[in-house]
Structure formats: structure tokens, C-alpha cells
Amino acid sequence: MRGDAPDRPRDLLVRLPGRPSQVSRVRRLVAAALGRDHPLYDDCALLASELATNAILHSRSGAGGWFTVAVRASGAAVRVWVADSGSEEPPCACRTGSHATGGRGLPLLEALSHRWGLSRSGGATTTWFELDQAPGWS
């Protein structure tokens, strides 16, 4: 896939069990879609890992369920979405204390992505983000 023309869309879609071991698979999925030398790889892998972790820790996906990850790379943009089995409460982009060990996923998403959002439908939650390359990167 890395040999594809840079403006050719590359899509990957994977359904994964809601286990912590699957977060590393999400990073490998991003690497397969983009290649590790892609200028957006680091931010994309970090944010995709955060969304996968949130799906596992904060939704029914982590209680024996599944979550789905999709990566679309097209030209100078990358879009990733993670759909989980939902939770009782909506996701919270809460601010945490400096000594907290969690709670930074959605604030990271806000800080690093160019666009992001979430939707809740039928008990499931889908969170997505987009990253754009700076002009002149190839």
C-alpha cells in the first residue's frame, strides 16, 4: 500500500475485540494505512490509540464487546474513526489535574486534530478526527 500514489485514497476498516492488547493493533493499522514515514503518522497513531483506549475503558466494548476502527488516507488528509458499543454516559472532554493518570484523550484530540467530533446512535458511540498535512509536505 505504501507504493500507492499519494493522492489515491487508502481505506482500512477493522473490527477488534475490546481488550487492551488491541491498542497496539490499532497503531499497526495506522502504520499499514499511512506508513511510518508519513508526516501525520505520529499524531494519527497517538490519537487513534487514545480513541481505542477510550472505547475499551469507557464503553461496553471493554466488557467482552467489540469496537471498529477505520482509517482513510487521501491526498494531504487522514480521517480516523472509532465506533464502540456505547456507555451509559456520553464521552466527557473533562479537564484533569496534573497528577491524574487518565482523562487526557479527548483534550489531546482537541489539541492535535484539525477537526473532530462524536455521535451517539442506537447505544453506540462513534468518535472521529481528521488531520491535514501542512502545505509543502510530501
Side-chain angles (χ1 to χ4, degrees):
M1 272 217 248
R2 285 181 226 150
D4 290 346
D7 59 345
R8 182 175 171 201
R10 292 170 288 180
D11 297 329
L12 292 176
L13 175 69
V14 178
R15 184 173 181 230
L16 302 167
R19 295 192 303 262
S21 62
Q22 299 306 298
V23 174
S24 63
R25 269 186 83 189
V26 170
R27 286 190 296 271
R28 289 193 302 272
L29 175 69
V30 170
L34 301 181
R36 291 185 188 269
D37 58 344
H38 192 283
L40 298 174
Y41 170 77
D42 289 332
D43 286 348
C44 193
L46 173 65
L47 295 177
S49 296
E50 289 292 335
L51 293 185
T53 299
N54 285 354
I56 294 163
L57 294 179
H58 303 297
S59 82
R60 288 182 283 276
S61 296
W66 298 82
F67 67 100
T68 303
V69 178
V71 179
R72 179 175 179 85
S74 178
V78 178
R79 181 181 177 107
V80 174
W81 60 261
V82 175
D84 64 42
S85 299
S87 61
E88 297 300 320
E89 300 293 322
C92 174
C94 307
R95 301 295 175 204
T96 60
S98 60
H99 298 291
T101 59
R104 291 183 179 83
L106 293 181
L108 272 173
L109 196 61
E110 176 73 27
L112 296 177
S113 68
H114 292 96
R115 287 165 297 286
W116 74 278
L118 63 91
S119 63
R120 290 172 52 98
S121 177
T125 301
T126 300
T127 309
W128 60 270
F129 67 87
E130 292 178 354
L131 299 172
D132 298 325
Q133 287 184 38
W137 286 5
S138 59

